[in-house]
């Protein structure tokens, strides 16, 4: 056991407090008090960990939070596989069973990005296209499934930002979008033909983290004639089972998942500027 007075024990105590403190971070005074440390001691340890990348400091809010290097290190523990490696067998199984093209989408800010696909025998057109393709959240079944399972505040922000983008490709108004999201959340999947790409149809289910927040989605791309109501129900159940199995193996420190909200964060401002300069 570590000596409670050792610097290593004290550093671990601060890291645990930061881990429990939420994404907003904690101020030095509160950290020192919670850890039972003198303020100068806590400050010295935090600065040392910040220099190693294990802690980050926001000079504007004066708050400390866990650093990216700590997450990257933790990503090597537990499950060494990332989302794409975990989901790849499911894509292949579903394509073999259904004879359809499968997509794996990940939430990235206001968009969903295709990070893997398994092609079926039929030629399919989709908004994301091939691996690396990007689509606004709310466009296409996979991205709709993600949007429907985001927290209300984040969902509102995405709709506000993406509604003009949706309208450019044929989606009509905010009420229609929100009505669809309520339906998808109730049924657990987004499905059916949208009419946005003539002749094409699809179905998508979210992949949820431990808090029930969508971080990714599995989706099927097909043609309208093949997605009959009866077949759609069977496919939805198969996708949900695979998505649940993937979710159970997710590594919360996977860098792919940690980037989900990155594109929604304010861009860094040049030195000497701030809210008053806007």
């Amino acid at each position: 056991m570590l000596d409670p007075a050792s610097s290593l024990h004290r550093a671990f105590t601060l890291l645990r407090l930061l881990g429990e403190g939420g994404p907003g971070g904690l101020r030095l005074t509160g950290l020192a008090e919670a850890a039972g440390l003198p303020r100068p001691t806590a400050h010295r340890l935090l600065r040392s960990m910040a220099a190693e990348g294990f802690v980050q400091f926001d000079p504007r809010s004066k708050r400390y939070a866990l650093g990216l290097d700590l997450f990257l290190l933790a990503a090597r523990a537990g499950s060494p596989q990332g989302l794409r490696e975990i989901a790849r067998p499911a894509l292949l199984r579903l394509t073999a069973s259904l004879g359809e093209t499968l997509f794996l989408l990940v939430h990235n800010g206001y968009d969903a990005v295709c990070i893997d696909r398994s092609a079926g025998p039929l030629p399919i057109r989709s908004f994301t296209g091939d691996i690396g393709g990007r689509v606004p959240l709310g466009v296409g079944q996979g991205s709709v499934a993600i949007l429907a399972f985001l927290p209300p505040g984040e969902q509102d922000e995405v709709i506000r930002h993406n509604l003009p983008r949706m309208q450019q490709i044929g989606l009509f108004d905010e009420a229609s979008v929100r009505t669809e999201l309520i339906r998808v959340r109730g049924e657990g999947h987004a499905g059916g033909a949208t009419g946005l790409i003539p002749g094409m149809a699809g179905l998508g289910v979210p992949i949820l983290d431990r808090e029930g927040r969508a971080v990714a989605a599995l989706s099927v791309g097909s043609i309208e004639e093949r997605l009959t109501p009866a077949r759609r129900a069977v496919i939805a159940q198969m996708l949900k089972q695979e998505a649940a199995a993937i979710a159970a193996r997710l590594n919360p420190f996977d860098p792919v998942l940690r980037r989900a909200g990155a594109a929604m964060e304010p861009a860094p401002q040049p030195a000497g500027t701030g809210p008053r300069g806007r």
Side-chain angles (χ1 to χ4, degrees):
M1 296 180 64
L2 291 176
D3 180 355
S6 71
S7 294
L8 188 57
H9 182 276
R10 292 172 171 180
F12 284 153
T13 298
L14 291 170
L15 287 175
R16 289 191 177 97
L17 289 169
L18 288 172
E20 297 166 358
L26 297 169
R27 292 180 181 271
L28 173 60
T29 300
L31 277 167
E33 291 177 354
L37 296 174
R39 193 173 184 275
T41 301
H43 188 224
R44 174 178 58 81
L45 291 169
L46 289 166
R47 288 185 63 184
S48 296
M49 290 189 287
E52 296 294 332
F54 291 166
V55 168
Q56 62 183 16
F57 175 68
D58 185 343
R60 291 180 293 180
S61 67
K62 307 296 184 185
R63 291 178 179 269
Y64 292 88
L66 296 178
L68 180 59
D69 282 1
L70 181 64
F71 285 94
L72 295 176
L73 183 63
R76 300 189 181 102
S79 170
Q81 294 182 312
L83 171 62
R84 189 170 187 268
E85 291 76 20
I86 292 171
R88 183 64 181 169
L91 296 182
L92 296 176
R93 277 195 301 271
L94 289 166
T95 292
S97 298
L98 300 171
E100 306 286 4
T101 297
L102 269 293
F103 300 88
L104 175 64
L105 306 176
V106 66
H107 175 205
N108 185 263
Y110 297 103
D111 297 336
V113 179
C114 178
I115 62 171
D116 203 0
R117 75 194 293 265
S118 176
L122 298 175
I124 296 297
R125 290 178 293 154
S126 70
F127 285 107
T128 53
D130 210 337
I131 296 172
R134 179 182 297 266
V135 66
L137 286 177
V139 176
Q141 288 79 15
S143 85
V144 169
I146 294 174
L147 182 57
F149 283 83
L150 293 183
E154 188 174 352
Q155 188 181 93
D156 290 343
E157 168 66 12
V158 171
I159 293 173
R160 181 198 63 78
H161 183 275
N162 280 358
L163 190 59
R165 305 168 74 193
M166 297 180 196
Q167 291 171 334
Q168 288 177 357
I169 57 177
L171 295 174
F172 300 109
D173 56 50
E174 182 174 348
S176 299
V177 171
R178 291 188 180 276
T179 298
E180 175 67 4
L181 295 178
I182 292 171
R183 185 193 66 78
V184 170
R185 192 171 183 95
E187 296 181 356
H189 69 274
T194 64
L196 295 177
I197 301 180
M200 297 294 105
L203 193 149
V205 302
I207 297 172
L208 308 178
D209 65 14
R210 296 176 184 177
E211 285 73 46
R213 176 183 182 275
V215 293
L218 288 176
S219 70
V220 165
S222 186
I223 59 176
E224 292 179 353
E225 291 79 3
R226 286 177 62 83
L227 277 190
T228 62
R231 191 165 187 265
R232 191 179 303 153
V234 173
I235 292 175
Q237 187 59 34
M238 294 173 68
L239 288 179
K240 289 175 183 178
Q241 290 176 351
E242 293 286 5
I246 293 168
R249 297 181 59 200
L250 286 180
N251 184 342
F253 300 107
D254 183 350
V256 170
L257 304 184
R258 276 186 49 78
R259 286 198 295 269
M264 297 177 66
E265 297 172 359
Q269 297 185 18
T273 65
R276 293 180 182 178
R278 294 179 182 174

